[in-house]
Each structure stands twice: as structure tokens, then as C-alpha cells.
Amino acid sequence: MIIGQEKICNLIDNLSLDSFPRSLMLVGARGGGKHLICEYIANKFRLTSIDLTDSLELETIEEIYNRVEPYLYIIRINEITVKEENVILKFLEEPLKNSFIVLIAETDNGILQTILNRCQIWYLQNYKREYLKTFLESDNEFILEIAQTPGQVRELNSCSFDGMIELADKIIDKIQIAGISNTLTLSGKVGFKNEKGTFDGKLFVEILISRLRHRWLTVNDVRYVAAYNLTNELKKNVSVKNLDYKALFERYLIQLREIMKGA
């Protein structure tokens, strides 16, 4: 049993190999246990699991159709292209009797509707703060304002958390006096595709939201309300697949600069 995801585990326990969905999508925040759930499924039904994400070609699918042994095929759907989505359409629509496909996603935004229509979709439960607290490696409970999952708590335990807070505060306090070129250089400090030497983009956006919420609640300034709403919109957009996240973040910085200038 996976703590925090008992509902899904109970659902799996009450299914047989014959009744388990052939095409399933697990949707939940990063670090929420989607891979653990896949392991839970594989162990229960004694299936070998294979991650196909990095090898989605027609030749791969054709090879799978020639296999006799049952497998659990995992695809990280938010990380593949539209072209690759089209490659797996038939696979999802006509899965082999001995194949089970699990798509894992942080969000179902931006995924082809034809794929969503072919899958049974299970949404992970939200984790309680008390449970997330057990993963803290320090007394810095501010992490719990940012993290939504055990994996995110672990990530924040080991990353440059203080550096991200410092940069977030600098952006909020100084962006209105920065020139356009200096504003855009800030995008080089934040990455959304595991770029080396950058802060994790999605976690950084969460920190920005938290710091702006704090300003909104403690300072009587409507600019913080507008900036908070703008940053929440950014959060939604960076969860959509196949977007240019760097351009998205640069556009956000320019809009934030105008808000904080009072323009």
C-alpha cells in the first residue's frame, strides 16, 4: 500500500488481470508516486514493466505486437511530442490482450483529446501536510508551503532552496527598476527542462507564488494581487506540454515588470 494513495491502491486490489484497464492514465503532481503505483500494478499482476517514453517509434510498436509475454508499458506522456502521441494512438485504441499501457502525466492539459478518450483516467490524491512533514530534513517548514508531494519535499531538501528564495525576492522587489535586457537575463537562471546550472522552473514558480501571496497578505498594495494572479497563470501554462517555456517565462517577466512599475 502506498501511503497517501490508498484510494488508487484499493481500486487496483479489487481488479483482476482481466478487468484491469488496458489503457490507463495516472495524473498527479510530480513526485506524487506515479512510478510507485506502476510498480504496485506490476507486482500485483506479475508483469514486467517497460518505459517506452524514449523509444516511441512505429518500429517499436510493431515489435510489441509480436510479443507473446504480458508486459506493463509506461509512457511519460507530458514528455513526448505530438508526433509521438500520434504514434501511440492505435496502440491505445487496439492494445494487445497481453499488453497494459499506463500513461503518467502531471496534467492532462495539452494532451490530444483522442488520447484522453482512449484512456481510463485516475487522479492521484492530494497529500496531507502532516504526511509531507515527515520527509523534511530540517526545521524549514516553509518548504511545506511549496511542496505538494513527497518527491517535491525531497527535491527541495536537496536543492539550493535559499538561493531560489533570494532570487524570487529580488525579482519581486527589484524588477520594476531593471531594464528590459537585465530583466530577460533572469530567465537564464531558471530552467524547465533539467538544464544544468539553473533552478528548477516549476518549483521556482511555486516559490514566486508563495512569496507574492505573503506580500499580498502583509502589504496593502494592489500590485501584489495582480502579480500573484499573473504568476498563477504562469503556473498553469508551464504545466502544458509542447510549449516554449523559456519564451513563456520571458514574457511573464516583462509583464511582471510592467505590473510592479504600476503601469
Side-chain angles (χ1 to χ4, degrees):
M1 188 68 69
I2 301 171
I3 297 175
Q5 301 302 328
E6 291 83 359
K7 183 177 179 180
I8 286 179
C9 290
N10 287 332
L11 182 57
I12 295 167
D13 289 342
N14 288 317
L15 293 171
S16 67
L17 194 60
D18 290 333
S19 60
F20 193 83
R22 299 288 173 177
S23 301
L24 172 67
M25 182 180 294
L26 295 174
V27 181
R30 183 179 58 180
K34 296 184 289 294
H35 282 92
L36 288 176
I37 292 172
C38 288
E39 289 179 16
Y40 193 85
I41 295 167
N43 289 334
K44 174 177 171 56
F45 298 117
R46 298 180 181 179
L47 298 169
T48 299
S49 62
I50 299 176
D51 192 320
L52 295 178
T53 308
D54 298 324
S55 56
L56 285 176
E57 300 174 351
L58 287 174
E59 292 79 6
T60 304
I61 304 302
E62 290 172 0
E63 179 188 338
I64 288 171
Y65 271 87
N66 293 322
R67 291 176 180 168
V68 177
E69 302 84 358
Y71 285 95
L72 178 72
Y73 297 104
I74 302 167
I75 300 172
R76 304 187 304 277
I77 190 70
N78 288 140
E79 299 179 25
I80 69 174
T81 65
V82 173
K83 179 181 178 181
E84 289 170 328
E85 286 187 23
N86 284 306
V87 167
I88 66 173
L89 271 176
K90 183 180 179 182
F91 189 35
L92 291 170
E93 189 173 25
E94 302 174 9
L96 294 173
K97 185 177 180 180
N98 63 349
S99 69
F100 298 86
I101 307 160
V102 179
L103 308 181
I104 59 176
E106 291 182 32
T107 174
D108 51 15
N109 290 334
I111 296 173
L112 292 177
Q113 189 61 46
T114 45
I115 285 182
L116 297 176
N117 292 342
R118 286 163 169 76
C119 294
Q120 191 172 133
I121 303 177
W122 295 353
Y123 293 92
L124 272 65
Q125 297 167 258
N126 293 328
Y127 285 92
K128 294 181 180 179
R129 181 185 176 94
E130 293 75 17
Y131 178 62
L132 294 179
K133 189 174 181 178
T134 64
F135 292 88
L136 278 179
E137 296 178 1
S138 67
D139 58 358
N140 188 356
E141 294 199 15
F142 178 57
I143 287 177
L144 301 180
E145 294 184 27
I146 310 300
Q148 302 173 8
T149 66
Q152 290 179 14
V153 175
R154 290 193 182 102
E155 200 169 345
L156 288 167
N157 280 332
S158 60
C159 75
S160 301
F161 188 57
D162 291 340
M164 285 198 282
I165 294 174
E166 182 179 346
L167 179 59
D169 287 341
K170 180 180 179 181
I171 289 174
I172 294 168
D173 295 331
K174 304 293 185 181
I175 198 168
Q176 71 269 25
I177 61 174
I180 294 292
S181 59
N182 285 337
T183 296
L184 293 177
T185 59
L186 294 169
S187 67
K189 300 180 183 294
V190 179
F192 293 90
K193 294 184 178 180
N194 300 317
E195 296 94 334
K196 291 184 178 179
T198 63
F199 294 132
D200 180 272
K202 291 181 179 179
L203 287 177
F204 185 71
V205 171
E206 293 286 356
I207 289 174
L208 277 170
I209 288 172
S210 179
R211 302 305 275 182
L212 283 165
R213 181 172 57 242
H214 181 266
R215 303 294 177 88
W216 175 9
L217 294 174
T218 57
V219 180
N220 185 22
D221 190 330
V222 295
R223 293 180 302 168
Y224 293 126
V225 180
Y228 175 83
N229 291 333
L230 177 69
T231 312
N232 260 318
E233 191 63 29
L234 174 67
K235 176 183 175 180
K236 294 177 186 176
N237 288 332
V238 297
S239 295
V240 178
K241 66 193 302 291
N242 298 320
L243 292 182
D244 185 338
Y245 301 120
K246 179 177 173 60
L248 194 68
F249 191 62
E250 288 179 345
R251 184 163 62 250
Y252 161 79
L253 290 170
I254 296 300
Q255 291 173 320
L256 180 66
R257 177 176 178 270
E258 295 304 307
I259 287 174
M260 298 310 294
K261 285 174 64 178

